[in-house]
Amino acid sequence: MDLSVKPGDDFYRYANGIWLKTNPVPAKETRWGSFNELRDFNINAVRTILNESASQKNAPKGSLEQRVGDFYAAGMDSATIEKLGYKPIKADLKRAGSVKNMNDVLNEAAYMRTVGAGSPLFGFYVGQDRKDVETMVPQFSQGGTTLPDRDYYLKDDARSQKIQQAFKTYVTTLFKLTGVPEATAAKNAETVFNIEKALATAQMPRVEMRDPHKTYNKFSVAAFTKTTPAIDWKPLMAKMQVTGQDTVLVNNPKFFTELNSLLTNTPVADWQTYLQWNVLKSAAPYLSAPFVDANFAYTQALTGQKVPTPRWQRMSSLTDGAIGELLGQIYVQKHFKPEAKARMEEMIANLIKTYEIRINNLDWMSAETKEKALAKLHAFRPKVGYPEKWNTYEGLEIKRNTFFQNVRNANKWAYSDMVGQLGKPVDRTKWGMTTPTVNAYYSPVMNEIVFPAGILQFPFFDPNADDAVNYGGIGAVIGHEISHGFDDSGSQYDKDGTLRNWWTPEDLARFKAKAKTLQEQYDAYTVLDTIHVNGKLTLGENIGDLGGLNAAYEAFKMTKQGQSNEKIDGFTPDQRFFLSWAQVWRGNILPETAAQYILTDPHSPGEYRTIGAPVNMDAWYQAFDVQPGDKLYKKPEDRIRLW
């Protein structure tokens, strides 16, 4: 803490100032804060598990230790990886480079998906139908680009131009590494950029993509084909291993009509280059050093990261991403205690109870809508720690000496597993995050809140800490995830997870008006030079923070400590609660990364998450004696009260 700062002037620096000064971003990172410290602890825990597993020469075949150990050992065998160069993708490059016509282009794009060699042209996944949540349905989305957001292709300010140049250099370098002459490689980079720019132009901006109704467009396969005369979706879907499906969901139909004309108006030679680029970029991180270095140089331009992430860390993350539920089983045995799960479940129950009280007390919502809101709240399904049913990755082949093939096999397995869900009942035991992940999420279609074991540790959660610290940390995270069910997007789904309005028109209008004031509060925050927080893009997360912190505070006030005034380390229970919240969000970030996140991240920067909710809470003003004239002071009538 920096006690020389007045909490009412800069609560973020008051709570974190000395830490911020003494904890610069390490060279291998792009940001450094509480999340990163815990992620660092977890990735080291994972590394230990992987090293122990890899060193067990006689682990039984098919055992957890053998499979995760072999996957990791293959990734760490850099001698073999260097020897191979780009040999593992030679056949793919040849295939992609020999497409003869538009139909070949589409078939190759479909084939690449099924073997885990890339996802060109558009996005595709299988998921629940938002208006018929018991059904899994094929879903097509805008895509086909490499840079993190469409704006990078469309803006021409200095920052964007620098990134466009780094991207073209990356494309040129990868082609050169496969023996393409420099002039041709540079020409290829222009071709790729122009195709991707055309795809980016057809994409909807991120803020619009937040609207679940706008992105819900249902077509029969035949009707979808009518909108794209050059693409016959039925045979193409069969090539993507999707058969027997007569309906699809499309998030942006205009994108596909634009893709259709791009396909017909672009020479096949350009598509050959684009498909080869997709092979190259999806493989680069897993090939020999020159490819990995080129990939890092591109990352560096985007994020400002100083040195590459160490190999062990990349391979630990890759193992978690590829076979996370094998690794997760060992992680839970070593790092997650049953009492942590029990304490967490108790806190979730308390927060749901608090939320119920808060909904009942809302002065802006009618009894009719309250009833529906409470029904939704009571239908929430919490998941804590780890899945009750682990994935076995049956049929996935992993060998100790074929790193690239292991990665491909895992991608291919994941794709088959995904399309294999079609025609089956929705599996409600599935998790969208792996066990060691330092994060949490709310799924509107499942109406569930999920907390992996990875985040259930200090500074978010400590079974031995006082209630103030836990409720200000993980309590606010639980409240945040619950609030997502009632944010600007989540509030459009009912208790069953169906995208269906349950509001009276008057209540919805009042909710939107309140949300707009919150959007304006965050729009006013400056991040870098002239860059402001995007209040519209971050609205859902900001509602999550405001609702979550209020609910966590009220739940804390039901505990024995919450009702006392007993100081610990000179701080009252309420002060400790708000300090715990502030210290969760402390962090330093590289300017390049900060600029990227403003375009791509639906969360506000940590500094503004720290103050954004408390400045709307009377309890914070009382706890720190914040008065008119203090920089963060908001008049009582201007404080935003939502949930």
Side-chain angles (χ1 to χ4, degrees):
M1 294 175 68
D2 182 351
L3 300 177
S4 71
V5 176
K6 207 170 167 194
D9 282 342
D10 189 340
F11 187 56
Y12 181 63
R13 294 254 157 353
Y14 169 75
N16 302 309
I18 304 296
W19 187 95
L20 293 167
K21 282 192 194 109
T22 50
N23 286 276
V25 179
K28 72 182 177 76
E29 304 285 346
T30 57
R31 59 203 292 202
W32 193 250
S34 297
F35 274 83
N36 310 83
E37 287 181 308
L38 183 45
R39 281 180 185 139
D40 209 54
F41 169 82
N42 275 350
I43 203 73
N44 277 293
V46 164
R47 179 195 196 177
T48 305
I49 290 169
L50 293 172
N51 278 328
E52 285 170 359
S53 301
S55 62
Q56 285 186 35
K57 293 284 183 280
N58 49 5
K61 190 155 172 45
S63 66
L64 295 174
E65 286 75 11
Q66 178 255 314
R67 296 174 82 191
V68 302
D70 283 1
F71 191 93
Y72 181 70
M76 292 305 287
D77 178 7
S78 47
T80 304
I81 294 164
E82 293 311 315
K83 242 193 337 248
L84 287 169
Y86 76 99
K87 208 163 139 199
I89 56 167
K90 267 189 173 157
D92 293 319
L93 289 170
K94 193 169 172 221
R95 275 183 66 113
S98 51
V99 293
K100 302 272 187 299
N101 53 43
M102 204 171 52
N103 219 25
D104 283 359
V105 172
L106 289 162
N107 289 340
E108 183 61 22
Y111 167 79
M112 283 168 67
R113 271 196 161 74
T114 61
V115 298
S119 42
L121 301 178
F122 52 80
F124 170 73
Y125 66 102
V126 169
Q128 284 164 275
D129 182 335
R130 280 173 278 171
K131 292 191 178 179
D132 178 13
V133 290
E134 294 306 326
T135 307
M136 301 298 279
V137 65
Q139 311 201 23
F140 289 93
S141 59
Q142 60 185 34
T145 47
T146 306
L147 287 162
D149 191 85
R150 71 193 282 274
D151 282 12
Y152 284 113
Y153 297 91
L154 310 179
K155 284 175 143 174
D156 60 359
D157 58 280
R159 193 178 266 123
S160 305
Q161 283 181 343
K162 184 179 150 232
I163 287 169
Q164 289 168 13
Q165 198 41 59
F167 171 59
K168 289 176 187 175
T169 304
Y170 182 38
V171 182
T172 307
T173 308
L174 291 193
F175 273 106
K176 270 171 38 192
L177 288 172
T178 62
V180 173
E182 174 131 19
T184 313
K187 193 170 136 294
N188 288 354
E190 290 301 328
T191 301
V192 167
F193 184 80
N194 292 336
I195 288 179
E196 293 200 2
K197 186 177 179 177
L199 293 168
T201 308
Q203 291 175 6
M204 236 194 280
R206 229 169 250 265
V207 167
E208 283 182 54
M209 295 293 291
R210 285 184 49 74
D211 182 339
H213 287 282
K214 198 177 254 181
T215 55
Y216 184 93
N217 304 283
K218 197 177 233 181
F219 291 90
S220 70
V221 176
F224 188 32
T225 297
K226 278 206 182 85
T227 69
T228 58
I231 312 172
D232 190 346
W233 288 100
K234 193 170 182 198
L236 186 62
M237 282 163 66
K239 290 254 168 26
M240 292 165 63
Q241 298 175 359
V242 176
T243 51
Q245 298 289 317
D246 54 8
T247 309
V248 295
L249 284 173
V250 182
N251 76 350
N252 177 4
K254 181 178 149 281
F255 174 83
F256 288 89
T257 57
E258 297 285 331
L259 172 64
N260 184 77
S261 53
L262 191 63
L263 278 163
T264 46
N265 298 327
T266 307
V268 168
D270 290 0
W271 288 118
Q272 292 174 342
T273 304
Y274 171 78
L275 290 169
Q276 287 182 318
W277 160 243
N278 275 268
V279 170
L280 283 166
K281 76 170 177 187
S282 72
Y286 317 118
L287 297 173
S288 55
F291 288 89
V292 175
D293 293 346
N295 176 257
F296 175 68
Y298 164 66
T299 304
Q300 197 169 29
L302 278 171
T303 64
Q305 186 177 335
K306 302 287 183 288
V307 302
T309 310
R311 183 166 201 94
W312 69 263
Q313 191 172 341
R314 284 185 289 121
M315 293 308 126
S316 299
S317 300
L318 182 67
T319 310
D320 183 37
I323 47 173
E325 295 202 8
L326 300 179
L327 172 63
Q329 293 177 60
I330 311 176
Y331 177 87
V332 164
Q333 289 161 17
K334 293 189 187 297
H335 296 283
F336 191 57
K337 298 177 176 61
E339 53 269 32
K341 191 172 163 84
R343 179 85 197 274
M344 219 11 225
E345 282 165 348
E346 177 196 335
M347 286 182 76
I348 291 170
N350 290 351
L351 269 139
I352 286 179
K353 204 182 307 164
T354 306
Y355 230 89
E356 182 181 324
I357 295 167
R358 292 187 69 83
I359 289 172
N360 276 321
N361 289 341
L362 289 177
D363 58 2
W364 57 270
M365 188 185 268
S366 68
E368 190 185 337
T369 306
K370 280 180 183 176
E371 197 182 319
K372 303 263 176 45
L374 291 168
K376 178 168 184 173
L377 179 70
H378 292 141
F380 267 53
R381 271 185 286 262
K383 290 177 176 175
V384 176
Y386 50 88
E388 57 198 57
K389 189 175 99 197
W390 295 98
N391 211 327
T392 59
Y393 304 90
E394 199 181 330
L396 170 58
E397 187 175 39
I398 298 167
K399 289 187 177 159
R400 205 172 243 257
N401 55 356
T402 56
F403 170 57
F404 190 82
Q405 199 51 52
N406 291 343
V407 174
R408 274 288 171 82
N409 290 350
N411 290 346
K412 191 176 170 179
W413 187 91
Y415 182 83
S416 304
D417 182 57
M418 177 180 78
V419 293
Q421 295 173 56
L422 289 165
K424 293 187 186 144
V426 171
D427 181 357
R428 295 189 178 275
T429 65
K430 261 193 185 325
W431 278 52
M433 281 177 183
T434 65
T435 309
T437 304
V438 183
N439 212 333
Y441 69 93
Y442 168 72
S443 163
V445 280
M446 290 279 204
N447 198 24
E448 66 182 13
I449 43 175
V450 186
F451 305 93
I455 196 172
L456 303 180
Q457 299 173 67
F458 184 80
F460 297 92
F461 177 65
D462 177 353
N464 306 314
D466 56 311
D467 280 326
V469 169
N470 277 330
Y471 277 94
I474 202 72
V477 174
I478 298 167
H480 173 101
E481 298 309 336
I482 294 173
S483 298
H484 272 314
F486 303 97
D487 72 15
D488 61 317
S489 176
S491 60
Q492 301 183 57
Y493 296 80
D494 69 7
K495 68 177 176 52
D496 304 320
T498 305
L499 184 57
R500 179 172 31 204
N501 179 47
W502 47 271
W503 297 71
T504 66
E506 300 76 20
D507 288 339
L508 191 56
R510 281 192 284 265
F511 173 67
K512 284 183 171 165
K514 282 179 171 291
K516 192 161 191 318
T517 58
L518 194 64
Q519 179 191 321
E520 287 161 359
Q521 176 186 322
Y522 283 83
D523 276 336
Y525 294 141
T526 312
V527 182
L528 204 71
D529 335 322
T530 55
I531 303 178
H532 280 250
V533 175
N534 182 339
K536 218 168 182 170
L537 178 64
T538 57
L539 183 58
E541 297 298 335
N542 300 334
I543 291 174
D545 283 350
L546 181 59
L549 192 61
N550 270 290
Y553 177 73
E554 198 151 316
F556 168 57
K557 296 311 275 180
M558 294 175 182
T559 67
K560 198 168 152 208
Q561 185 191 12
Q563 288 161 13
S564 84
N565 282 318
E566 197 181 315
K567 289 184 177 178
I568 300 179
D569 296 335
F571 294 100
T572 66
D574 276 22
Q575 287 174 332
R576 287 174 69 78
F577 170 86
F578 286 109
L579 286 169
S580 174
W581 165 258
Q583 290 176 352
V584 158
W585 300 117
R586 67 184 180 203
N588 285 309
I589 185 166
L590 301 176
E592 297 88 339
T593 301
Q596 181 186 326
Y597 282 170
I598 286 299
L599 281 182
T600 61
D601 190 356
H603 302 86
S604 298
E607 180 174 353
Y608 298 117
R609 295 190 74 171
T610 300
I611 61 169
V615 297
N616 291 303
M617 293 172 65
D618 300 344
W620 176 75
Y621 288 83
Q622 286 152 10
F624 295 98
D625 190 27
V626 179
Q627 298 295 338
D630 291 349
K631 287 181 189 153
L632 294 176
Y633 183 83
K634 265 178 123 174
K635 288 193 232 140
E637 62 271 24
D638 294 339
R639 294 173 199 166
I640 302 162
R641 301 167 210 280
L642 209 52
W643 289 106

